Amino acid sequence: EVQLVESGGGLVQPGGSLRLSCAASGFTFSSYWMSWVRQAPGKGLEWVANIKQDGSEKYYVDSVKGRFTISRDNAKNSLYLQMNSLRAEDTAVYYCAREMVRMAIHAFDIWGQGTMVTVSS
Amino acid sequence: SSELTQDPAVSVALGQTVRITCQGDSLRSYYASWYQQKPGQAPVLVIYGKNNRPSGIPDRFSGSSSGNTASLTITGAQAEDEADYYCNSRDSSGNLVVFGGGTKLTVL
């Protein structure tokens, strides 16, 4: 079964750090771009960052540049998101998602169940 | 702010047809993908590309595109289609990813 399972969420104080993990199974992880997408309580979906199959390219939404780092370990079929200098506005459910990338097509075809990150004192 | 614009809310009578739209400059170069999200659940891909449905998605869901506007059509809406719907594509630069703000669909 194709599956993504996130972990590492929790309550953290403003200015703190947290590392999210996403374990992939049921497909060849090293063949896909991967992303983190978040959803603040009661709000819409927001793409956060993505990483190329071999880790050579990484992109971020402006609001997290310089604070968040996406990485992957293909040997462990795992995706990570290191989050530093966390702010209240980073509070959200964070989803790991597999990307389907073809000419003129971009889609997230597999999603994890999400992990909640709460930034509060 | 999102580079893709969706109407915040749309309603449809049970069994009728509804169209949900998504507008943005990047849609002149990239197809929109569409996601259904029910409360407390992860999003589910329902349409991608020109008009492709992943396995398990009912054929009452279809997609179309014209200029800078993409549309998701549900033909014969069912009660279980009541959900939030999001579009996404690459942004105009082609490097980043964007989502629309979402449309809450109510089935009356």
Side-chain angles (χ1 to χ4, degrees):
Chain A
E1 179 191 6
V2 175
Q3 197 172 10
L4 297 170
V5 178
E6 302 93 338
S7 60
L11 175 63
V12 61
Q13 291 189 338
S17 299
L18 212 54
R19 188 195 196 209
L20 305 183
S21 298
C22 171
S25 59
F27 66 97
T28 306
F29 179 72
S30 59
S31 296
Y32 291 87
W33 280 81
M34 296 294 297
S35 267
W36 288 98
V37 176
R38 67 184 179 183
Q39 186 170 35
K43 301 298 184 182
L45 300 172
E46 180 184 37
W47 172 78
V48 174
N50 67 356
I51 184 168
K52 194 176 179 180
Q53 291 91 330
D54 61 0
S56 62
E57 294 181 37
K58 304 174 185 181
Y59 298 96
Y60 300 89
V61 69
D62 282 348
S63 60
V64 308
K65 274 183 192 172
R67 301 189 299 123
F68 289 11
T69 302
I70 190 172
S71 62
R72 65 192 296 163
D73 185 338
N74 288 341
K76 294 184 177 179
N77 292 332
S78 292
L79 178 71
Y80 306 101
L81 186 67
Q82 177 66 45
M83 303 186 295
N84 299 330
S85 302
L86 282 161
R87 305 167 180 166
E89 53 264 36
D90 296 318
T91 294
V93 174
Y94 284 73
Y95 294 102
C96 165
R98 188 178 83 172
E99 296 191 22
M100 176 198 303
V101 179
R102 304 176 191 167
M103 240 169 106
I105 294 175
H106 179 277
F108 298 106
D109 61 347
I110 304 295
W111 295 71
Q113 85 287 352
T115 188
M116 184 69 204
V117 172
T118 302
V119 184
S120 174
S121 54
Chain B
S1 63
S2 173
E3 292 187 32
L4 297 178
T5 301
Q6 297 182 239
D7 291 328
V10 169
S11 62
V12 61
L14 184 68
Q16 296 305 300
T17 296
V18 62
R19 177 174 292 182
I20 298 170
T21 61
C22 174
Q23 285 188 301
D25 286 343
S26 64
L27 300 182
R28 297 184 186 278
S29 305
Y30 298 97
Y31 290 110
S33 297
W34 292 93
Y35 306 85
Q36 177 192 70
Q37 187 181 34
K38 297 180 179 179
Q41 297 183 17
V44 173
L45 179 66
V46 295
I47 291 289
Y48 67 94
K50 191 172 183 180
N51 181 20
N52 302 106
R53 284 176 288 106
S55 173
I57 301 302
D59 61 6
R60 63 178 178 271
F61 290 89
S62 63
S64 61
S65 176
S66 177
N68 73 337
T69 301
S71 300
L72 171 71
T73 300
I74 307 174
T75 303
Q78 303 298 303
E80 61 263 33
D81 300 333
E82 186 162 288
D84 293 326
Y85 290 86
Y86 296 91
C87 60
N88 101 281
S89 80
R90 292 281 191 185
D91 78 337
S92 300
S93 75
N95 289 327
L96 306 183
V97 179
V98 289
F99 280 96
T103 297
K104 182 176 182 62
L105 176 66
T106 300
V107 179
L108 303 172

